C-alpha cells in the first residue's frame, strides 16, 4: 500500500440508506487511511454513489455514523468543507465559464485572495492536471477526458488532503482512462492526497486502488473488502469472482 499510513481519515460505521421503505444497503462499514487510494466497487444499482454522497455530507444516512477527518458528517460538514474535494461523475463544470474560471470558483467562495492571486493558483492547479494551455477554453471546447481533468483541478483548488472521485473513467476510452489513473497516482505521490474513488472499471481498480470495499445490490451491502488484487485471485464469493473475472453469474 504505497504511501499510505495508519491514520484513519474516513470512518463509516453501520451505515444504511433506505428510500420509501426500500433498502439500498444496510450495515456498511469501512475505513480509509491517510495517503491511500481507496475504491468503492460494485455493479450498477448497488449504492456506490449514494455512499459517496453520504460520506461527503450531501446525503443523510438512514442509520449509522460517518466521520471525515474526525468530524461527524453531515452535521459538521462545514468544518471540513475546505479539507475535501469532490469530482462528480459528470464533471459538473459551468459551461459559460472558462476552465480557469471554473477552477477559480472555490477560491472566490472560500478565500480572501485577490483576483490575480486566484488566477495564479487556478493556473497552477490546471498545470498539475496537464491543462495549463487550455485555461481559456470553455468546457464545450474540450474532450471528455480533459473535462474530467479540469474537474479534478477544481476539486484541488483549496489544497484538500482528501479527494473524492465519482466514476472518473465513465465514458472514456481506455487510453484516456489510463491517463487519468496515472494522474491519480501522480497526485497521490506528489501532493500526498488521499483518494476515495467510486468506480466499476476493473482496469482502473487494479491499477490504482490500495484497498477496496465491494457493494452488491442483491446482498444490500458489503460482500468483500481488502486488496483488489487479492480479491481477484483468492476470493471464493461467486459475485466477487464474477466481477473480477468479468464473468456472467
Amino acid at each position: 500500500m504505497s504511501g499510505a499510513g495508519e491514520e484513519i481519515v474516513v470512518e463509516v460505521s453501520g451505515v444504511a440508506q433506505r428510500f420509501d421503505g426500500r433498502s439500498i444497503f444496510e450495515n456498511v462499514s469501512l475505513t480509509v487511511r491517510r495517503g491511500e487510494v481507496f475504491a468503492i466497487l460494485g455493479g450498477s444499482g448497488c449504492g456506490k454513489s449514494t455512499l459517496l454522497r453520504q460520506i461527503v455530507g450531501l446525503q443523510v444516512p438512514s442509520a449509522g455514523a460517518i466521520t471525515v477527518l474526525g468530524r461527524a458528517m453531515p452535521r459538521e460538514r462545514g468544518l471540513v468543507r475546505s479539507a475535501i474535494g469532490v469530482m462528480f461523475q459528470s464533471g459538473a463544470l459551468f459551461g459559460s465559464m472558462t476552465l480557469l474560471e471554473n477552477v477559480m470558483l472555490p477560491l472566490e467562495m472560500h478565500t480572501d485572495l485577490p483576483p490575480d492571486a486566484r488566477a495564479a493558483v487556478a493556473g497552477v492547479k490546471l498545470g498539475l492536471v496537464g491543462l495549463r494551455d487550455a485555461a481559456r477554453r470553455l468546457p464545450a471546447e474540450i474532450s471528455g477526458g480533459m473535462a474530467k481533468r479540469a474537474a479534478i483541478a477544481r476539486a484541488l483548488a483549496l489544497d484538500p488532503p482528501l479527494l473524492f472521485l465519482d466514476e472518473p473513467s465513465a465514458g472514456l476510452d481506455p487510453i484516456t482512462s489510463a491517463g487519468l489513473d496515472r494522474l491519480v497516482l501522480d497526485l497521490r505521490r506528489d501532493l500526498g492526497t488521499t483518494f476515495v474513488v467510486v468506480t466499476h472499471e476493473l482496469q482502473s481498480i487494479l491499477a490504482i486502488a490500495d484497498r477496496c470495499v465491494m457493494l452488491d445490490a442483491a446482498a444490500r451491502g458489503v460482500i468483500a473488502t481488502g486488496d483488489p488484487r487479492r480479491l481477484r485471485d483468492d476470493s471464493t464469493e461467486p459475485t466477487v469472482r464474477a466481477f473480477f473475472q468479468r464473468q456472467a453469474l
Side-chain angles (χ1 to χ4, degrees):
M1 188 162 55
S2 175
E6 294 302 318
E7 180 186 355
I8 301 300
V9 294
V10 175
E11 185 167 12
V12 176
S13 302
V15 161
Q17 187 63 59
R18 309 175 192 113
F19 295 114
D20 298 325
R22 182 174 66 93
S23 175
I24 305 302
F25 51 73
E26 301 283 341
N27 198 32
V28 171
S29 297
L30 61 89
T31 59
V32 179
R33 304 166 187 158
R34 184 174 297 279
E36 73 177 341
V37 178
F38 186 92
I40 300 173
L41 316 181
S44 299
C46 68
K48 301 186 299 296
S49 293
T50 297
L51 179 59
L52 180 89
R53 290 194 295 270
Q54 290 178 341
I55 295 173
V56 302
L58 296 177
Q59 191 162 321
V60 180
S62 302
I66 298 171
T67 60
V68 176
L69 300 171
R71 301 288 187 176
M73 302 295 271
R75 187 178 69 247
E76 298 180 90
R77 179 173 181 263
L79 298 175
V80 298
R81 185 167 49 193
S82 64
I84 65 174
V86 184
M87 191 215 82
F88 295 103
Q89 183 174 342
S90 65
L93 298 174
F94 291 96
S96 62
M97 302 169 67
T98 67
L99 301 191
L100 187 72
E101 290 168 338
N102 267 280
V103 179
M104 287 173 62
L105 190 58
L107 298 165
E108 294 173 9
M109 296 174 63
H110 301 298
T111 77
D112 296 323
L113 291 173
D116 57 344
R118 295 197 298 264
V121 171
V124 169
K125 302 308 179 187
L126 285 169
L128 284 174
V129 301
L131 291 178
R132 182 180 292 277
D133 293 339
R136 302 296 176 182
R137 295 188 190 180
L138 295 171
E141 300 172 333
I142 61 176
S143 68
M146 293 172 71
K148 296 292 182 87
R149 287 174 176 264
I152 291 174
R154 187 175 61 185
L156 287 169
L158 298 175
D159 296 317
L162 184 55
L163 200 60
F164 296 86
L165 309 181
D166 188 6
E167 298 283 8
S169 300
L172 301 181
D173 65 83
I175 294 175
T176 303
S177 179
L180 271 184
D181 292 341
R182 184 72 260 166
L183 176 62
V184 168
L185 295 178
D186 288 347
L187 292 172
R188 192 263 295 272
R189 181 196 65 211
D190 297 340
L191 303 180
T193 308
T194 303
F195 284 89
V196 178
V197 183
V198 169
T199 184
H200 64 271
E201 300 287 345
L202 185 57
Q203 289 302 113
S204 291
I205 294 162
L206 297 174
I208 67 174
D210 298 305
R211 291 190 304 124
C212 68
V213 61
M214 186 171 179
L215 305 181
D216 180 65
R220 294 189 175 86
V222 176
I223 58 171
T225 59
D227 183 326
R229 288 152 290 273
R230 291 186 178 179
L231 293 178
R232 176 195 60 189
D233 297 339
D234 301 335
S235 178
T236 58
E237 210 290 333
T239 302
V240 176
R241 290 190 62 82
F243 181 89
F244 280 102
Q245 301 297 331
R246 297 177 63 89
Q247 296 173 344
L249 283 171

